[in-house]
Amino acid sequence: MRIAVLGGDGYCGWATALYLSKQGHAVTIIDNFVRRQWDYELGVQTLTPIQPLPQRLRAWEQLTGQTIDLRVGDICDYEFSAAAIRDLQPDAIVHFAEQRSAPYSMIDRQHAVYTQVNNVVGTLNLLFAARELKPDCHIVKLGTMGEYGTPNIDIEEGFLEIEHNGRKDTLPFPKQPGSFYHLSKVHDSHNMMFACKIWGLRATDLNQGVVYGTVTDEVQMDEALINRFDYDEVFGTVLNRFCAQAAIGMPLSVYGKGGQTRGFLDIRDTVRCIELACLHPAKPGEFRVFNQFTEQFSVLELAQTVKSVGAQMGLKVEIDHVPDPRVEAESHYYNAKHSKLADLGLEPHLLSASLLDSLINIAVRYRDRIDPSVFAPQVNWRAGKNERRTAAIPAPEPVV
Amino acid sequence: MRIAVLGGDGYCGWATALYLSKQGHAVTIIDNFVRRQWDYELGVQTLTPIQPLPQRLRAWEQLTGQTIDLRVGDICDYEFSAAAIRDLQPDAIVHFAEQRSAPYSMIDRQHAVYTQVNNVVGTLNLLFAARELKPDCHIVKLGTMGEYGTPNIDIEEGFLEIEHNGRKDTLPFPKQPGSFYHLSKVHDSHNMMFACKIWGLRATDLNQGVVYGTVTDEVQMDEALINRFDYDEVFGTVLNRFCAQAAIGMPLSVYGKGGQTRGFLDIRDTVRCIELACLHPAKPGEFRVFNQFTEQFSVLELAQTVKSVGAQMGLKVEIDHVPDPRVEAESHYYNAKHSKLADLGLEPHLLSASLLDSLINIAVRYRDRIDPSVFAPQVNWRAGKNERRTAAIPAPEPVV
């Protein structure tokens, strides 16, 4: 298939682009490198020393003989995004090209507005470009399980059959997103559902859980292909952050009680889910929703697991409960369905001690790049404006 | 009360500002006159010859001795909106300041993006300004009944108790908006609900039905206070448009079968609903939703009523069914609740023959200002891009 991977220089996007290329698809990455810019803004960097994208792509070609094309630009610029769709004529557009951090969107007004405008306008542009230039292409859009919030009922995959006053309908599942970022994804979902209805576009909204891990078969082929490993309080996903803390002997920072339960998945399942969605496209006019995760854990359960695996590795790992900077239930009912991707053939990599061991080992390997000052939450949901202190990043030193 | 009326130069905003001033509230209008600009863009004009806002305000002061203050600017400019909130310290912010036409948002990509960015960013700015500068003020926001779409179950006021797999929760009513404009209001609603939750703001979301009429007690005090009467296909609401068509002997243009059923209300009820919401504010942290309409009609029922009243006035009125330019169900179940404003004391002005008679008479009075070319729908939901022909507006001539 001809597949455009938007945001292909990011954490999930890069692993996905390589995986799809390996499977023989003709992949083009579209990216404007703003993810790297956010690191400069925040004074943080990925634990793993990632290469500039052109180097990454050259290494991929040398190793595999396969090429991944690149178009550099911002999908919020319609001239750019329309030209890309017109030239590439993709069978599928995999859309990771959004600001994806909840804390980033909660820093202050500017970051909230930026996140919503960037994400909503980028997606609107794609919908209009597809309508105009490639109406039968399949849009595979990354949403988030965070769109649902934590309702006191089972979470279904996108839609819910409701009986009310003796009548029935199947309606979009009610959304209670918990940050301006999560809200932007809810806005996108509504816009996409509408575009499919009026224009007959086909789209899959992947409500992804929290991703962990950094290695895939492709990424580990060579150091030049190494993937991001974000551990800071703004972009670091929780399990990766815990592993980085364990690696340098810092206590794992659990927000509040840690009863916050979410869906999680290994990045190796992310890439496979994307391919499964592409291989089994939505029908014309169909807007379908898959919940893309494999297991549920509470944050405290994850911390305890990291502590226990760390102990087996000889690391002394403590768990610290810090005041929750977010406004969220610290313990709640949570039961989210996730059978549609399994029905298409997903065989999940469940969280195992060996995966955690390997993840902590990566963190140990790059421990000298860890800036311990960027773990502590500095973005408080209750404030309208958070002054982030940007730390001086210690220069990378050779590992002893 | 100190009340800021955002969008106070528009159709509902102007009538509301006068009404609130008459009741003794200290009113400030905030407007950037973009509504007048859209008329220039589209080559249309209000049936009634409205005065520039400063003239309107001078006339109001001369007639009543009461002043309405004015601040000219765009709430998408945070410096402007924050300064207004800081200086005024309003008890209530009545927020009409959005692009409110579904067809306008469906013209093409630029108009869709403009509508969503303008509406979402303006509302985000207000939420942040309130959080920062007047956190206890009550935000009274105009939403639309169109946020709900036409589900096959009864529509509740904002929230729905759902039982699913043996568990219960009260969740936001699922939304199925039918244009990029209606989508922008859904985005706003989600953003506001979240801001109330995290910051303890207080807000009322008024999901308003289709407004008809142009006259209120205040507006009719003097010709200089006359309100807008939009009859064009982009900004004209359906009943006003039918009355204008009846006035010049053009057939009433019903889209498709005309079974589209919606909630409607008289503009005299709009202004009273706004005051009722202000007088009975939401509690801190509360995001509440009122469905603001008084009666349900199908479009065809309205056309038949206009035809019948027109006949009594000696007008020959035909009904024409034109292909529906929108993607919507042309006949469907519709039963929307609307008891919360009645509980606060709303005494509705139901649609009567005498009101319709008076509305048609206004249209007859200004019939020489009617451009018959702007009735026909030129914005097709199924197209990604609509070329609107802007007609040369006939110069107003004295009525014979």
Side-chain angles (χ1 to χ4, degrees), chain A residues 51-73:
Chain A
Q51 296 301 307
L53 187 56
Q55 267 102 301
R56 289 172 140 187
L57 295 178
R58 261 199 300 278
W60 180 247
E61 189 174 355
Q62 285 161 1
L63 285 160
T64 66
Q66 280 159 315
T67 56
I68 294 176
D69 286 333
L70 168 63
R71 293 176 83 108
V72 177

Side-chain angles (χ1 to χ4, degrees), chain B residues 8-66:
Chain B
D9 188 47
Y11 170 49
C12 292
W14 174 239
T16 299
L18 293 189
Y19 180 81
L20 294 174
S21 176
K22 186 68 174 299
Q23 310 310 310
H25 302 293
V27 175
T28 299
I29 285 177
I30 296 179
D31 209 295
N32 66 347
F33 306 122
V34 70
R35 175 67 192 85
R36 295 178 186 243
Q37 181 64 29
W38 296 328
D39 275 353
Y40 292 127
E41 176 195 348
L42 299 172
V44 300
Q45 60 180 356
T46 156
L47 175 64
T48 46
I50 60 171
Q51 298 299 306
L53 187 56
Q55 267 101 302
R56 290 172 138 186
L57 295 178
R58 261 198 300 277
W60 180 248
E61 188 175 355
Q62 283 160 2
L63 285 160
T64 65
Q66 281 159 314

Side-chain angles (χ1 to χ4, degrees), chain A residues 194-210:
Chain A
F194 175 69
C196 289
K197 180 181 174 188
I198 61 168
W199 294 331
L201 298 184
R202 43 172 78 190
T204 301
D205 200 7
L206 296 172
N207 283 343
Q208 187 168 244
V210 184

Side-chain angles (χ1 to χ4, degrees), chain A residues 101-108 177-183 233-234 255 262 324-328 377-386, chain B residues 128 131 194-195 197-200:
Chain A
S101 158
Y104 190 87
S105 76
M106 299 302 294
I107 292 175
D108 57 16
S179 74
F180 287 115
Y181 152 71
H182 290 101
L183 282 154
E233 51 114 13
V234 173
Y255 294 171
R262 301 289 185 269
D324 194 343
R326 305 187 179 203
V327 177
E328 62 185 359
Q378 296 183 48
V379 181
N380 186 331
W381 263 228
R382 292 165 183 86
K385 192 171 198 162
N386 291 279
Chain B
F128 276 90
R131 164 71 183 78
F194 175 68
K197 180 181 173 187
I198 60 167
W199 295 331

